Each structure stands twice: as structure tokens, then as C-alpha cells.
Coordinates of all heavy atoms in Angstrom, one line a residue:
M76 N 19.9 7.6 12.4 CA 18.6 8.1 11.8 C 17.5 7.8 12.8 O 17.3 6.7 13.1 CB 18.4 7.4 10.4 CG 17.1 7.8 9.8 SD 16.9 6.9 8.3 CE 17.0 8.2 7.1
A77 N 16.7 8.8 13.1 CA 15.6 8.6 14.0 C 14.4 8.1 13.3 O 14.1 8.5 12.2 CB 15.3 9.9 14.7
S78 N 13.6 7.2 13.9 CA 12.4 6.7 13.3 C 11.3 7.6 13.6 O 11.2 8.2 14.6 CB 12.2 5.3 13.7 OG 12.0 5.3 15.1
S79 N 10.4 7.7 12.6 CA 9.2 8.6 12.9 C 8.2 7.9 13.7 O 8.1 6.7 13.7 CB 8.6 9.0 11.5 OG 8.1 7.9 10.8
S80 N 7.4 8.6 14.5 CA 6.4 8.0 15.3 C 5.1 8.7 15.0 O 5.0 9.8 14.5 CB 6.7 8.2 16.8 OG 6.7 9.5 17.2
T81 N 4.0 7.9 15.2 CA 2.7 8.3 15.0 C 2.0 8.4 16.3 O 2.1 7.6 17.2 CB 2.0 7.3 14.1 OG1 2.7 7.2 12.9 CG2 0.6 7.8 13.7
S82 N 1.1 9.4 16.5 CA 0.3 9.5 17.7 C -1.2 9.5 17.3 O -1.6 10.0 16.3 CB 0.6 10.9 18.4 OG 1.9 11.0 18.8
V83 N -1.9 8.8 18.2 CA -3.4 8.7 18.0 C -4.0 8.6 19.3 O -3.5 8.0 20.3 CB -3.7 7.5 17.0 CG1 -3.3 6.2 17.7 CG2 -5.2 7.5 16.7
D84 N -5.2 9.1 19.5 CA -6.1 8.9 20.6 C -6.9 7.7 20.4 O -7.6 7.6 19.3 CB -6.9 10.1 21.0 CG -6.1 11.3 21.5 OD1 -5.1 11.0 22.1 OD2 -6.5 12.4 21.3
V85 N -6.9 6.7 21.3 CA -7.7 5.5 21.2 C -8.6 5.3 22.4 O -8.3 5.9 23.5 CB -6.9 4.3 21.0 CG1 -6.0 4.4 19.7 CG2 -5.9 4.0 22.2
E86 N -9.7 4.6 22.2 CA -10.6 4.3 23.4 C -10.5 2.8 23.6 O -10.7 2.0 22.8 CB -12.0 4.7 23.1 CG -12.9 4.6 24.3 CD -14.3 5.2 24.1 OE1 -14.4 6.2 23.5 OE2 -15.2 4.5 24.6
I87 N -10.2 2.5 24.9 CA -10.1 1.2 25.4 C -10.9 1.1 26.6 O -10.6 1.7 27.6 CB -8.7 0.7 25.6 CG1 -7.8 0.8 24.4 CG2 -8.6 -0.7 26.2 CD1 -6.3 0.6 24.6
F88 N -12.0 0.2 26.6 CA -12.8 0.0 27.7 C -13.3 1.2 28.4 O -13.3 1.4 29.6 CB -12.0 -0.9 28.7 CG -12.9 -1.8 29.6 CD1 -13.7 -2.8 29.0 CD2 -12.9 -1.6 30.9 CE1 -14.5 -3.6 29.8 CE2 -13.7 -2.4 31.8 CZ -14.5 -3.4 31.2
G89 N -13.7 2.2 27.5 CA -14.4 3.4 28.0 C -13.4 4.5 28.4 O -13.9 5.6 28.8
A90 N -12.1 4.3 28.3 CA -11.2 5.3 28.6 C -10.4 5.7 27.4 O -10.1 4.8 26.5 CB -10.2 4.9 29.7
T91 N -10.0 7.0 27.2 CA -9.2 7.4 26.1 C -7.8 7.5 26.5 O -7.4 8.0 27.5 CB -9.7 8.8 25.6 OG1 -11.1 8.7 25.3 CG2 -9.0 9.3 24.4
Y92 N -6.9 7.0 25.6 CA -5.5 6.9 25.8 C -4.8 7.6 24.6 O -5.2 7.3 23.5 CB -5.0 5.5 26.0 CG -5.5 4.8 27.2 CD1 -6.7 4.0 27.0 CD2 -5.0 4.9 28.4 CE1 -7.2 3.4 28.1 CE2 -5.5 4.3 29.5 CZ -6.6 3.5 29.4 OH -7.2 2.9 30.5
H93 N -3.8 8.3 24.9 CA -2.9 8.9 23.8 C -1.8 7.9 23.6 O -1.0 7.6 24.4 CB -2.4 10.3 24.2 CG -1.6 10.9 23.1 ND1 -2.3 11.5 22.0 CD2 -0.3 11.1 22.9 CE1 -1.4 12.0 21.2 NE2 -0.2 11.8 21.7
V94 N -1.8 7.3 22.4 CA -0.8 6.2 22.0 C 0.1 6.7 21.0 O -0.3 7.4 20.0 CB -1.6 5.0 21.5 CG1 -0.6 3.9 21.2 CG2 -2.6 4.5 22.6
R95 N 1.4 6.4 21.2 CA 2.4 6.8 20.2 C 3.2 5.5 19.8 O 3.5 4.7 20.6 CB 3.4 7.8 20.8 CG 4.5 8.3 19.8 CD 5.3 9.3 20.5 NE 4.5 10.3 21.0 CZ 4.7 11.6 21.1 NH1 5.9 12.0 20.6 NH2 3.9 12.5 21.6
G96 N 3.4 5.3 18.5 CA 4.1 4.2 18.0 C 4.7 4.4 16.7 O 4.6 5.5 16.1
E97 N 5.5 3.4 16.2 CA 6.2 3.5 14.9 C 5.3 3.1 13.7 O 5.7 3.2 12.6 CB 7.4 2.7 15.0 CG 8.4 3.2 16.0 CD 9.7 2.4 16.0 OE1 9.9 1.5 15.2 OE2 10.5 2.6 16.9
H98 N 4.1 2.6 14.0 CA 3.2 2.2 12.9 C 2.2 3.3 12.6 O 2.1 4.3 13.4 CB 2.4 0.9 13.3 CG 3.4 -0.2 13.6 ND1 3.9 -1.0 12.5 CD2 3.9 -0.8 14.7 CE1 4.6 -1.9 13.0 NE2 4.7 -1.8 14.3
D99 N 1.4 3.1 11.6 CA 0.5 4.2 11.2 C -0.7 4.2 12.1 O -0.9 3.3 12.9 CB 0.0 4.0 9.7 CG -0.7 2.7 9.4 OD1 -1.4 2.2 10.3 OD2 -0.6 2.2 8.3
R100 N -1.5 5.2 12.0 CA -2.7 5.4 12.9 C -3.6 4.2 12.9 O -4.1 3.8 13.9 CB -3.4 6.7 12.6 CG -2.5 8.0 12.7 CD -3.2 9.2 12.2 NE -4.4 9.5 12.9 CZ -4.5 10.3 13.9 NH1 -3.4 10.9 14.4 NH2 -5.7 10.5 14.5
Q101 N -3.9 3.8 11.7 CA -4.8 2.6 11.5 C -4.4 1.4 12.3 O -5.2 0.7 12.9 CB -5.0 2.3 10.0 CG -6.1 1.3 9.8 CD -6.3 1.0 8.3 OE1 -5.6 1.6 7.4 NE2 -7.2 0.1 8.0
Y102 N -3.1 1.1 12.2 CA -2.5 0.0 12.9 C -2.7 0.1 14.4 O -3.1 -0.8 15.1 CB -1.1 -0.2 12.5 CG -0.4 -1.4 13.1 CD1 -0.6 -2.7 12.6 CD2 0.4 -1.3 14.3 CE1 0.0 -3.8 13.1 CE2 1.0 -2.5 14.8 CZ 0.8 -3.7 14.3 OH 1.3 -4.8 14.9
L103 N -2.3 1.3 14.9 CA -2.4 1.6 16.4 C -3.9 1.5 16.8 O -4.2 0.9 17.9 CB -1.8 2.9 16.7 CG -0.3 3.1 16.4 CD1 0.1 4.5 16.7 CD2 0.5 2.2 17.3
Q104 N -4.8 2.0 16.0 CA -6.2 1.9 16.3 C -6.7 0.4 16.3 O -7.4 0.0 17.2 CB -7.0 2.7 15.3 CG -8.5 2.7 15.6 CD -8.8 3.5 16.8 OE1 -8.3 4.6 17.1 NE2 -9.7 3.0 17.7
Q105 N -6.2 -0.4 15.4 CA -6.5 -1.8 15.4 C -6.0 -2.5 16.6 O -6.7 -3.4 17.2 CB -5.9 -2.4 14.1 CG -6.3 -3.8 13.8 CD -5.8 -4.4 12.5 OE1 -4.8 -3.8 12.0 NE2 -6.3 -5.5 12.1
L106 N -4.8 -2.2 17.1 CA -4.3 -2.8 18.3 C -5.2 -2.4 19.5 O -5.6 -3.3 20.3 CB -2.9 -2.3 18.6 CG -1.8 -2.7 17.7 CD1 -0.5 -2.0 18.1 CD2 -1.6 -4.2 17.7
A107 N -5.6 -1.2 19.6 CA -6.5 -0.7 20.7 C -7.8 -1.4 20.6 O -8.4 -1.8 21.6 CB -6.7 0.8 20.6
E108 N -8.4 -1.6 19.4 CA -9.6 -2.3 19.2 C -9.5 -3.8 19.7 O -10.5 -4.3 20.3 CB -10.1 -2.3 17.8 CG -10.6 -0.9 17.4 CD -10.8 -0.7 15.9 OE1 -10.7 -1.7 15.1 OE2 -11.1 0.4 15.5
M109 N -8.4 -4.4 19.5 CA -8.2 -5.8 19.9 C -8.2 -5.9 21.4 O -8.8 -6.8 22.0 CB -6.9 -6.4 19.4 CG -6.9 -6.7 17.9 SD -5.3 -7.2 17.3 CE -5.1 -8.8 18.2
V110 N -7.5 -4.9 22.1 CA -7.4 -4.9 23.5 C -8.8 -4.6 24.1 O -9.3 -5.3 25.0 CB -6.4 -3.9 24.0 CG1 -6.4 -3.7 25.5 CG2 -5.0 -4.3 23.6
D111 N -9.5 -3.6 23.5 CA -10.8 -3.3 24.0 C -11.8 -4.5 23.9 O -12.5 -4.8 24.8 CB -11.4 -2.1 23.1 CG -12.8 -1.7 23.6 OD1 -12.9 -1.1 24.7 OD2 -13.7 -1.9 22.8
Q112 N -11.7 -5.2 22.7 CA -12.6 -6.3 22.5 C -12.3 -7.4 23.6 O -13.2 -8.0 24.1 CB -12.4 -6.9 21.1 CG -13.2 -8.1 20.8 CD -13.0 -8.7 19.5 OE1 -12.2 -8.2 18.7 NE2 -13.7 -9.8 19.2
K113 N -11.0 -7.7 23.8 CA -10.7 -8.7 24.8 C -11.1 -8.3 26.2 O -11.6 -9.2 26.9 CB -9.1 -9.0 24.7 CG -8.7 -10.1 25.5 CD -9.3 -11.5 25.1 CE -8.8 -11.9 23.7 NZ -9.4 -13.2 23.3
M114 N -11.0 -7.1 26.5 CA -11.4 -6.6 27.9 C -12.9 -6.7 28.0 O -13.4 -7.2 29.0 CB -10.9 -5.2 28.1 CG -9.4 -5.1 28.4 SD -8.9 -3.4 28.7 CE -9.6 -3.2 30.4
R115 N -13.6 -6.4 26.9 CA -15.1 -6.5 27.0 C -15.6 -8.0 27.1 O -16.5 -8.3 27.8 CB -15.7 -5.8 25.8 CG -15.5 -4.3 25.9 CD -16.2 -3.5 24.8 NE -15.8 -2.1 24.9 CZ -16.3 -1.3 25.8 NH1 -17.2 -1.7 26.7 NH2 -15.9 0.0 25.8
E116 N -14.9 -8.9 26.4 CA -15.2 -10.3 26.5 C -15.0 -10.8 27.9 O -15.8 -11.5 28.4 CB -14.3 -11.1 25.6 CG -14.6 -11.0 24.1 CD -13.5 -11.7 23.2 OE1 -12.7 -12.5 23.8 OE2 -13.5 -11.5 22.0
I117 N -13.9 -10.4 28.5 CA -13.6 -10.8 29.9 C -14.6 -10.2 30.9 O -15.1 -10.9 31.8 CB -12.2 -10.5 30.3 CG1 -11.2 -11.4 29.5 CG2 -11.9 -10.6 31.8 CD1 -9.8 -10.9 29.5
S118 N -15.0 -9.0 30.7 CA -15.9 -8.3 31.6 C -17.3 -8.9 31.5 O -18.0 -8.9 32.5 CB -16.0 -6.8 31.4 OG -16.7 -6.5 30.2
E119 N -17.7 -9.5 30.4 CA -19.0 -10.2 30.3 C -19.0 -11.4 31.1 O -20.0 -11.8 31.6 CB -19.3 -10.5 28.8 CG -19.6 -9.3 28.0 CD -19.8 -9.6 26.5 OE1 -19.7 -10.8 26.1 OE2 -20.0 -8.7 25.7
K120 N -17.8 -12.1 31.2 CA -17.7 -13.3 31.9 C -17.5 -13.1 33.4 O -17.9 -13.9 34.3 CB -16.6 -14.2 31.4 CG -16.8 -14.7 30.0 CD -15.6 -15.4 29.4 CE -15.8 -15.7 28.0 NZ -14.6 -16.2 27.4
A121 N -16.9 -12.0 33.8 CA -16.7 -11.6 35.2 C -17.0 -10.2 35.4 O -16.1 -9.3 35.6 CB -15.2 -11.9 35.5
P122 N -18.3 -9.8 35.4 CA -18.7 -8.4 35.5 C -18.3 -7.7 36.8 O -18.3 -6.5 36.8 CB -20.2 -8.5 35.4 CG -20.6 -9.9 35.7 CD -19.4 -10.7 35.4
T123 N -18.0 -8.4 37.9 CA -17.7 -7.7 39.1 C -16.2 -7.4 39.3 O -15.8 -6.8 40.2 CB -18.1 -8.6 40.3 OG1 -17.5 -9.8 40.3 CG2 -19.6 -8.8 40.3
V124 N -15.4 -7.9 38.4 CA -13.9 -7.7 38.4 C -13.6 -6.3 38.1 O -14.2 -5.7 37.2 CB -13.2 -8.7 37.5 CG1 -11.7 -8.5 37.5 CG2 -13.5 -10.1 37.8
D125 N -12.6 -5.7 38.8 CA -12.3 -4.3 38.5 C -11.5 -4.1 37.2 O -10.9 -5.1 36.7 CB -11.5 -3.6 39.7 CG -10.1 -4.2 39.9 OD1 -9.3 -4.2 39.0 OD2 -9.9 -4.6 41.1
T126 N -11.4 -2.9 36.7 CA -10.8 -2.7 35.4 C -9.3 -3.1 35.3 O -8.9 -3.7 34.3 CB -10.9 -1.2 35.1 OG1 -12.2 -0.8 35.1 CG2 -10.3 -0.9 33.7
G127 N -8.6 -2.9 36.4 CA -7.2 -3.3 36.4 C -7.0 -4.8 36.3 O -6.2 -5.3 35.5
K128 N -7.9 -5.6 37.0 CA -7.8 -7.0 36.8 C -8.3 -7.5 35.5 O -7.7 -8.4 34.9 CB -8.7 -7.7 37.9 CG -8.1 -7.6 39.3 CD -8.9 -8.2 40.3 CE -8.3 -8.1 41.7 NZ -9.1 -8.7 42.8
I129 N -9.3 -6.8 34.9 CA -9.7 -7.1 33.5 C -8.6 -6.9 32.6 O -8.4 -7.7 31.6 CB -11.0 -6.3 33.2 CG1 -12.2 -6.8 34.0 CG2 -11.3 -6.4 31.7 CD1 -13.4 -5.9 33.9
A130 N -7.8 -5.8 32.7 CA -6.7 -5.5 31.8 C -5.6 -6.6 31.9 O -5.1 -7.0 30.9 CB -6.1 -4.1 32.2
I131 N -5.3 -7.0 33.2 CA -4.3 -8.1 33.3 C -4.8 -9.4 32.7 O -4.1 -10.1 32.0 CB -4.0 -8.3 34.8 CG1 -3.4 -7.1 35.4 CG2 -3.2 -9.6 35.0 CD1 -2.0 -6.7 34.9
L132 N -6.1 -9.7 32.9 CA -6.6 -10.9 32.3 C -6.6 -10.8 30.8 O -6.3 -11.8 30.1 CB -8.0 -11.2 32.8 CG -8.1 -11.6 34.3 CD1 -9.6 -11.7 34.7 CD2 -7.4 -13.0 34.5
A133 N -6.9 -9.7 30.2 CA -6.9 -9.4 28.8 C -5.4 -9.6 28.3 O -5.2 -10.3 27.3 CB -7.4 -8.1 28.4
A134 N -4.5 -9.1 29.0 CA -3.1 -9.2 28.6 C -2.7 -10.7 28.6 O -2.0 -11.1 27.7 CB -2.2 -8.4 29.5
L135 N -3.1 -11.4 29.6 CA -2.7 -12.8 29.7 C -3.4 -13.6 28.6 O -2.8 -14.5 28.0 CB -3.2 -13.4 31.0 CG -2.3 -13.0 32.2 CD1 -3.0 -13.4 33.6 CD2 -0.9 -13.6 32.1
N136 N -4.6 -13.3 28.2 CA -5.3 -13.9 27.1 C -4.6 -13.6 25.8 O -4.4 -14.5 25.0 CB -6.8 -13.5 27.1 CG -7.7 -14.3 28.0 OD1 -8.3 -15.3 27.5 ND2 -7.8 -13.9 29.2
L137 N -4.3 -12.4 25.6 CA -3.6 -12.0 24.3 C -2.2 -12.6 24.3 O -1.7 -13.1 23.2 CB -3.5 -10.5 24.2 CG -4.9 -9.8 24.0 CD1 -4.8 -8.3 24.2 CD2 -5.4 -10.2 22.6
A138 N -1.5 -12.7 25.4 CA -0.2 -13.3 25.4 C -0.3 -14.8 25.1 O 0.5 -15.4 24.4 CB 0.5 -13.1 26.8
D139 N -1.3 -15.5 25.6 CA -1.6 -16.9 25.4 C -1.8 -17.1 23.9 O -1.2 -18.0 23.3 CB -2.8 -17.4 26.2 CG -3.2 -18.8 25.8 OD1 -2.3 -19.7 25.9 OD2 -4.4 -19.0 25.5
E140 N -2.6 -16.2 23.2 CA -2.9 -16.3 21.8 C -1.6 -16.2 21.0 O -1.3 -16.9 20.1 CB -3.9 -15.3 21.4 CG -5.3 -15.6 21.9 CD -6.3 -14.5 21.5 OE1 -6.0 -13.6 20.6 OE2 -7.3 -14.4 22.2
L141 N -0.8 -15.2 21.4 CA 0.5 -15.0 20.7 C 1.4 -16.2 20.9 O 2.1 -16.6 19.9 CB 1.2 -13.7 21.3 CG 2.6 -13.4 20.8 CD1 2.5 -13.1 19.3 CD2 3.2 -12.2 21.5
L142 N 1.5 -16.7 22.1 CA 2.4 -17.9 22.3 C 2.0 -19.1 21.5 O 2.8 -19.8 20.9 CB 2.5 -18.2 23.8 CG 3.5 -19.3 24.2 CD1 4.9 -18.9 23.8 CD2 3.4 -19.5 25.7
Q143 N 0.7 -19.3 21.5 CA 0.1 -20.4 20.7 C 0.5 -20.2 19.2 O 0.9 -21.2 18.5 CB -1.4 -20.5 20.9 CG -1.8 -21.1 22.2 CD -3.3 -21.3 22.3 OE1 -3.9 -21.6 21.4 NE2 -3.8 -21.1 23.5
C144 N 0.3 -19.0 18.7 CA 0.7 -18.7 17.3 C 2.2 -18.9 17.0 O 2.6 -19.5 16.0 CB 0.3 -17.3 16.9 SG -1.5 -17.0 16.7
N145 N 3.0 -18.5 18.0 CA 4.4 -18.6 17.8 C 4.8 -20.1 17.8 O 5.7 -20.6 17.1 CB 5.2 -17.9 18.9 CG 5.2 -16.4 18.7 OD1 4.9 -15.9 17.7 ND2 5.5 -15.7 19.8
N146 N 4.2 -20.9 18.7 CA 4.5 -22.3 18.8 C 4.0 -23.0 17.6 O 4.7 -23.9 17.0 CB 3.8 -22.9 20.0 CG 4.5 -22.5 21.3 OD1 5.6 -22.1 21.4 ND2 3.8 -22.7 22.4
Q147 N 2.9 -22.7 17.0 CA 2.4 -23.3 15.8 C 3.3 -22.9 14.6 O 3.7 -23.8 13.8 CB 1.0 -22.8 15.5 CG 0.4 -23.4 14.2 CD -1.0 -22.9 13.9 OE1 -1.6 -22.2 14.7 NE2 -1.4 -23.2 12.7
Q148 N 3.7 -21.7 14.6 CA 4.6 -21.2 13.5 C 6.0 -21.9 13.6 O 6.5 -22.4 12.6 CB 4.9 -19.7 13.6 CG 5.6 -19.1 12.5 CD 5.8 -17.6 12.7 OE1 6.0 -17.1 13.7 NE2 5.7 -16.9 11.5
E149 N 6.5 -22.2 14.8 CA 7.8 -22.9 15.0 C 7.6 -24.3 14.5 O 8.5 -24.9 13.8 CB 8.2 -22.8 16.4 CG 9.5 -23.6 16.7 CD 10.7 -23.1 15.9 OE1 10.7 -21.9 15.5 OE2 11.7 -23.9 15.7
G150 N 6.5 -25.0 14.9 CA 6.2 -26.3 14.4 C 6.2 -26.4 12.9 O 6.7 -27.3 12.3
E151 N 5.5 -25.4 12.3 CA 5.4 -25.4 10.8 C 6.8 -25.2 10.2 O 7.1 -25.8 9.2 CB 4.4 -24.3 10.4 CG 3.0 -24.7 10.7 CD 2.0 -23.5 10.5 OE1 2.5 -22.4 10.2 OE2 0.8 -23.8 10.7
R152 N 7.6 -24.4 10.8 CA 9.0 -24.1 10.3 C 9.8 -25.4 10.4 O 10.5 -25.7 9.4 CB 9.7 -23.0 11.2 CG 11.0 -22.6 10.6 CD 11.8 -21.7 11.5 NE 12.3 -22.4 12.7 CZ 13.3 -23.3 12.7 NH1 13.9 -23.5 11.6 NH2 13.7 -23.8 13.9
V153 N 9.7 -26.1 11.5 CA 10.4 -27.4 11.6 C 9.9 -28.4 10.5 O 10.7 -29.1 9.8 CB 10.2 -28.0 13.0 CG1 10.7 -29.4 13.1 CG2 10.9 -27.1 14.0
E154 N 8.6 -28.5 10.3 CA 8.1 -29.4 9.3 C 8.6 -29.0 7.9 O 9.0 -29.9 7.1 CB 6.5 -29.3 9.2 CG 5.9 -30.0 10.4 CD 4.4 -29.9 10.3 OE1 3.8 -29.8 9.2 OE2 3.8 -29.9 11.4
I155 N 8.6 -27.7 7.6 CA 9.2 -27.2 6.3 C 10.6 -27.6 6.1 O 11.0 -28.1 5.1 CB 8.9 -25.7 6.1 CG1 7.4 -25.4 6.0 CG2 9.7 -25.1 5.0 CD1 7.0 -24.0 6.1
M156 N 11.4 -27.4 7.2 CA 12.8 -27.7 7.1 C 13.0 -29.2 6.9 O 13.9 -29.6 6.1 CB 13.6 -27.2 8.4 CG 13.6 -25.7 8.5 SD 14.3 -24.8 7.1 CE 16.0 -25.4 7.2
E157 N 12.2 -30.0 7.5 CA 12.3 -31.5 7.4 C 12.0 -31.8 5.9 O 12.6 -32.7 5.3 CB 11.4 -32.2 8.3 CG 11.9 -32.1 9.8 CD 10.9 -32.7 10.8 OE1 9.8 -33.0 10.4 OE2 11.3 -32.8 12.0
K158 N 10.9 -31.2 5.4 CA 10.5 -31.5 4.0 C 11.6 -31.1 3.0 O 11.9 -31.8 2.0 CB 9.2 -30.8 3.7 CG 8.6 -31.3 2.4 CD 8.2 -32.7 2.5 CE 7.4 -33.1 1.3 NZ 7.1 -34.6 1.2
V159 N 12.2 -29.9 3.3 CA 13.3 -29.4 2.4 C 14.4 -30.4 2.4 O 15.0 -30.7 1.4 CB 13.7 -28.0 2.8 CG1 15.0 -27.6 2.1 CG2 12.6 -27.0 2.5
A160 N 14.8 -30.9 3.6 CA 15.9 -31.8 3.7 C 15.6 -33.1 3.0 O 16.4 -33.7 2.2 CB 16.2 -32.1 5.2
E161 N 14.3 -33.6 3.1 CA 13.9 -34.8 2.4 C 14.0 -34.6 0.9 O 14.5 -35.4 0.2 CB 12.5 -35.1 2.8 CG 11.9 -36.3 2.1 CD 10.4 -36.5 2.5 OE1 10.0 -36.1 3.6 OE2 9.7 -37.1 1.6
L162 N 13.5 -33.5 0.4 CA 13.5 -33.2 -1.0 C 14.9 -33.0 -1.6 O 15.2 -33.4 -2.7 CB 12.6 -32.0 -1.4 CG 11.1 -32.2 -1.2 CD1 10.3 -30.9 -1.4 CD2 10.5 -33.3 -2.1
T163 N 15.7 -32.4 -0.8 CA 17.1 -32.2 -1.2 C 17.8 -33.6 -1.3 O 18.6 -33.8 -2.3 CB 17.9 -31.4 -0.1 OG1 17.3 -30.1 0.0 CG2 19.3 -31.2 -0.5
G164 N 17.5 -34.5 -0.4 CA 18.0 -35.8 -0.5 C 17.6 -36.5 -1.8 O 18.3 -37.2 -2.5
V165 N 16.3 -36.4 -2.1 CA 15.7 -37.0 -3.3 C 16.4 -36.4 -4.5 O 16.8 -37.2 -5.5 CB 14.2 -36.8 -3.3 CG1 13.6 -37.2 -4.7 CG2 13.5 -37.6 -2.2
L166 N 16.5 -35.1 -4.6 CA 17.1 -34.5 -5.7 C 18.6 -34.9 -5.9 O 19.1 -35.1 -7.0 CB 17.0 -32.9 -5.6 CG 15.6 -32.4 -5.9 CD1 15.5 -30.9 -5.5 CD2 15.1 -32.6 -7.3
T167 N 19.3 -34.9 -4.8 CA 20.7 -35.3 -4.8 C 20.8 -36.7 -5.4 O 21.7 -37.0 -6.2 CB 21.3 -35.2 -3.4 OG1 21.2 -33.8 -3.0 CG2 22.8 -35.6 -3.4
K168 N 20.0 -37.6 -4.9 CA 20.0 -39.0 -5.3 C 19.7 -39.1 -6.8 O 20.4 -39.8 -7.6 CB 19.0 -39.8 -4.5 CG 19.1 -41.3 -4.8 CD 18.1 -42.1 -4.0 CE 18.6 -42.4 -2.6 NZ 17.7 -43.3 -1.9
A169 N 18.7 -38.3 -7.3 CA 18.4 -38.3 -8.7 C 19.5 -37.7 -9.6 O 19.7 -38.3 -10.7 CB 17.1 -37.5 -8.9
L170 N 20.2 -36.7 -9.1 CA 21.2 -36.1 -9.9 C 22.5 -37.0 -9.9 O 23.2 -37.0 -10.9 CB 21.6 -34.8 -9.3 CG 20.6 -33.6 -9.5 CD1 21.0 -32.4 -8.7 CD2 20.4 -33.3 -10.9
N171 N 22.7 -37.8 -8.9 CA 23.8 -38.7 -8.9 C 23.6 -40.1 -9.6 O 24.5 -40.9 -9.7 CB 24.2 -39.0 -7.4 CG 24.8 -37.8 -6.7 OD1 25.4 -36.9 -7.4 ND2 24.7 -37.7 -5.4
S172 N 22.3 -40.3 -10.0 CA 22.0 -41.5 -10.7 C 22.4 -41.5 -12.1 O 22.5 -40.6 -12.8 CB 20.5 -41.8 -10.6 OG 20.1 -41.9 -9.3

């Protein structure tokens, strides 16, 4: 079964791109807005850098944010599993008493 795709024109850093994806138009537009915002933030700090370098720096910044979120989520998962194991031990002990 083939998945449906959505197409939308988005503007990123002054250029229009035709984007196709498996999500709805609003989601694709939101992604483009995130990239555009990150590129604009970087260009304000380094106005002489060319667009290609700004795009790479934006990608690195977004990848850093994603990795930090993933690491935080993994840490929270470990904490939850430890708490579940602790509570399971308490419940087992209570049931065996």
C-alpha cells in the first residue's frame, strides 16, 4: 500500500521551495518556519556568512536541539524504568506479607 504525500510551497530565508512529505501541509509549513527562523537567528549573529554556510549552521543547531531532547528523553525513560522496578518490588513485598 503506497502512502499518500502532500506538496506545499514554502519560503525559507527568502527562497521558495517545493516540499513534499507524508505529513499535512500545516506540518510541512511549520517545519519550514522552524528552519527559516533558525537561519535568520544565525544570520543576525553572522551577517557576512553566505546562505549555504548559514543553512549548515542552522542544521547543526537543529540537530543539537534534537540530540539534547533525545538524551533528556532517554534519561527520563531510565528514571521511569527505575521507579517502576522500585514500585514493583514494594508491591511484591506487600503482596507476600
